[in-house]
Amino acid sequence: MTTLLNDVGVEITASSLAMIATKRQVIRFLTERLDGFHAGDAVVLHAGLVSAPFVTVDDTGARHANRNFHTTQIGGEQFTAFRTTPSKSRLNFLALLRGNYQDYVLNDAAFTFLENRQVDPALLAHLKTCEPRHFANQVPFLEYLAANGIDIFDKDIIRPLA
């Protein structure tokens, strides 16, 4: 480990004062400039989800900074991704699967999914009257639903759509 740290510019010495500085250097090295890692991680998750014949999921709870958190493992034969969040809800899990994608789409695949979930046929018929639609994120999607007479505050109606 010392060689690896020395190779990336962290100086390891024997004095106590240097060890404190080394600890700070290690923490800085592990926590700064991570954008490239986050982007790569998002690519791995997306590629794994679209290519895997099956996906496994597991989660565990842990305390961090005096708060309860949940770490979710999402994986397949060729990939594994871990996400730690303060919530273990269904919506949080769906957000983890979505990764960096925030868009909403109403197309044939979405309607097939909703039919399989036995969403109210009258609601589906009402939504199907328009051409396939693409929304940048949840806000314009909910605005579209509300503009089309759908009660976006009714959790039973919105749950399968959101």
Side-chain angles (χ1 to χ4, degrees):
M1 183 66 156
T2 302
T3 303
L4 172 67
L5 292 173
N6 283 330
D7 288 347
V8 295
V10 178
E11 296 178 21
I12 305 293
T13 63
S15 76
S16 304
L17 186 56
M19 291 306 283
I20 293 170
T22 300
K23 181 178 178 183
R24 284 191 206 122
Q25 286 177 316
V26 169
I27 291 170
R28 237 181 270 124
F29 175 73
L30 294 174
T31 60
E32 290 180 356
R33 295 177 289 193
L34 298 177
D35 292 342
F37 291 110
H38 290 297
D41 178 67
V43 168
V44 167
L45 177 61
H46 177 73
L49 289 173
V50 300
S51 66
F54 64 89
V55 175
T56 62
V57 178
D58 195 11
D59 57 57
T60 186
R63 290 192 59 77
H64 173 70
N66 295 319
R67 293 182 55 209
N68 291 328
F69 280 80
H70 304 276
T71 297
T72 302
Q73 174 272 329
I74 305 166
E77 289 180 306
Q78 304 294 324
F79 81 103
T80 298
F82 293 91
R83 300 290 184 271
T84 300
T85 60
S87 173
K88 188 182 170 179
S89 70
R90 174 186 162 273
L91 289 177
N92 180 68
F93 176 68
L94 293 174
L96 295 177
L97 289 178
R98 290 176 60 85
N100 292 337
Y101 293 92
Q102 300 299 314
D103 61 330
Y104 283 71
V105 179
L106 286 176
N107 59 15
D108 290 338
F111 289 121
T112 299
F113 171 81
L114 293 171
E115 287 166 3
N116 291 339
R117 303 249 349 242
Q118 300 177 342
V119 170
D120 179 12
L123 174 64
L124 291 178
H126 184 69
L127 290 175
K128 282 184 175 180
T129 60
C130 301
E131 292 292 316
R133 305 276 305 195
H134 186 265
F135 307 91
N137 57 48
Q138 190 178 43
V139 172
F141 176 66
L142 291 175
E143 288 172 347
Y144 173 79
L145 295 178
N148 282 282
I150 296 169
D151 182 0
I152 62 172
F153 298 106
D154 185 332
K155 289 182 181 179
D156 292 331
I157 292 173
I158 292 300
R159 183 172 288 121
L161 301 173

